[in-house]
Amino acid sequence: MVCASEKDQYQQWLAQINQVCGSFAGRPLTGEFFGELESTWTGNLKLSTVTASGVNLFRTRQEIKTSNDAWFYTVFQIEGEAGLEQDDRQIVLNSGDITLIDASRPCSIYWPEKSRQISLLLPRQILEQHFRFQEVSCAQKLSRTLPTVQLSYRLLQESMSNPALSETESEAALEAMVCLLRPVLQQRDSMQPRKERQFTQVLTLIDDHIQAEHLRPEWIASESGMSVRSLYRMFAEKGLVVAQYIKNRRLDLCAQMLRGTRDDEKLAGIGYSWGFTDHSHFSTAFKQRFGISPGEYRKRHR
């Protein structure tokens, strides 16, 4: 039973969680409640330190609808234990362990006793680029004994101790974090199922012809020996739309090119070289994906 003063503290803490970390519902567990939250921004690094006990936070489809789901939560367990659930997985994190939680799918976190963890937001687009839409293993316990986990902790500590990191430096730190964790997060089979191999081949075909005007679903389906309907279904099973994937892939390549171009190189020409014939459309699409205009992006990544 939560007393009146504890109930007020709980409600204030839950409101703070919703403001900083996204929409979560909660319920008290047996035992004394305790809740603290600290959040910090370091360039593009958004970190939330949660210390809690006697409480369960969870996200259902209802909370997901009212929140930004363009993230993964990288959870670093600092002290104590915490239980996490997503999909059909249930794990217990001990001090020094790491896991990944997808903000777009229901999840649940339990703090039966006092523990502390840091959540680092990883933008979905970074994982998409590195994993190429292959399955990312969420709610998987990454043990503190793994060298990649130990290196990830060191990277986190170094980043947190350098609040003056620029946006470019902090973005590089996010990329490095994904590269470190990718080998243990990516689900691998000794033999990929036929459907997965076919999907990988389609992505390779798109990359090989990414600058071509004829890169459309009908052409891709024909070259891949399938119907257009089957192609759409293949992408839909990954939560993707073919045309949107092609556009985002072209935008990612434009961004890569912008990071290495001179100021006198025309932005319209860069967009055109990757299939954007209308500069206004290119600029709008780029801002929707990266949050800033192509010109501002190039300035930040000089």
Side-chain angles (χ1 to χ4, degrees):
M1 184 74 177
V2 178
C3 67
S5 59
E6 267 191 36
K7 190 173 183 180
D8 290 341
Q9 292 173 8
Y10 165 73
Q11 292 294 347
Q12 289 172 7
W13 178 76
L14 184 59
Q16 194 179 10
I17 288 285
N18 277 267
Q19 183 179 7
V20 174
C21 304
S23 294
F24 279 86
R27 65 184 183 92
L29 301 176
T30 56
E32 185 179 355
F33 165 77
F34 179 87
E36 283 184 352
L37 174 65
E38 296 178 22
S39 61
T40 56
W41 281 93
T42 304
N44 285 319
L45 299 177
K46 185 177 182 182
L47 299 155
S48 299
T49 303
V50 179
T51 308
S53 67
V55 67
N56 167 216
L57 287 183
F58 54 91
R59 277 165 70 87
T60 67
R61 291 293 177 193
Q62 183 175 347
E63 284 76 40
I64 292 168
K65 284 180 183 177
T66 60
S67 182
N68 188 348
D69 64 357
W71 308 94
F72 284 81
Y73 301 102
T74 316
V75 181
F76 296 79
Q77 189 69 25
I78 307 300
E79 296 175 4
E81 291 184 352
L84 290 97
E85 297 178 4
Q86 186 158 70
D87 300 329
D88 297 324
R89 289 195 179 95
Q90 298 180 349
I91 61 170
V92 175
L93 289 185
N94 303 104
S95 178
D97 297 336
I98 297 176
T99 195
L100 195 72
I101 297 295
D102 188 346
S104 71
R105 305 206 301 273
C107 66
S108 188
I109 309 173
Y110 297 86
W111 291 281
E113 297 180 357
K114 193 171 181 179
S115 73
R116 185 161 62 99
Q117 58 186 211
I118 296 175
S119 291
L120 167 66
L121 292 186
L122 281 180
R124 187 173 298 278
Q125 68 185 47
I126 293 181
L127 274 88
E128 286 179 356
Q129 291 172 26
H130 283 270
F131 283 81
R132 298 304 306 278
F133 301 99
Q134 295 181 19
E135 189 69 24
V136 179
S137 186
C138 292
Q140 175 185 337
K141 180 175 178 174
L142 307 181
S143 172
R144 60 185 176 182
T145 60
L146 294 171
T148 52
V149 169
Q150 295 167 12
L151 286 170
S152 298
Y153 261 95
R154 287 172 60 183
L155 176 59
L156 178 73
Q157 290 163 355
E158 289 292 328
S159 300
M160 291 180 71
S161 63
N162 285 281
L165 283 178
S166 68
E167 291 198 7
T168 304
E169 290 166 337
S170 57
E171 187 175 320
L174 288 173
E175 294 271 359
M177 186 69 74
V178 174
C179 289
L180 282 171
L181 295 176
R182 178 180 172 182
V184 287
L185 285 173
Q186 192 167 13
Q187 291 183 340
R188 291 182 178 178
D189 297 318
S190 56
M191 273 294 290
Q192 274 190 319
R194 179 179 174 275
K195 188 181 289 186
E196 287 298 319
R197 291 201 306 273
Q198 191 176 29
F199 182 66
T200 301
Q201 289 166 359
V202 169
L203 296 185
T204 301
L205 178 69
I206 290 172
D207 269 4
D208 289 344
H209 298 268
I210 195 68
Q211 292 175 292
E213 290 185 15
H214 62 252
L215 187 62
R216 293 184 175 85
E218 295 77 13
W219 180 85
I220 296 169
S222 175
E223 290 293 307
S224 303
M226 67 176 78
S227 68
V228 175
R229 185 177 178 182
S230 295
L231 178 71
Y232 285 143
R233 189 185 304 118
M234 174 188 287
F235 274 72
E237 287 173 357
K238 302 286 184 180
L240 303 170
V241 177
V242 183
Q244 186 69 40
Y245 171 79
I246 293 171
K247 183 172 79 169
N248 286 343
R249 187 69 180 138
R250 283 171 166 166
L251 288 168
D252 292 340
L253 292 167
C254 285
Q256 183 178 320
M257 192 172 178
L258 284 168
R259 292 197 289 268
T261 58
R262 303 182 310 274
D263 284 351
D264 59 354
E265 191 160 349
K266 291 185 177 180
L267 295 172
I270 293 172
Y272 185 81
S273 67
W274 293 106
F276 293 95
T277 55
D278 182 273
H279 178 62
S280 176
H281 171 64
F282 165 56
S283 184
T284 300
F286 192 95
K287 191 168 185 178
Q288 286 174 343
R289 183 149 178 81
F290 295 100
I292 54 177
S293 68
E296 183 63 27
Y297 187 90
R298 176 162 62 183
K299 287 179 185 177
R300 292 189 184 183
H301 290 82
R302 279 175 182 165

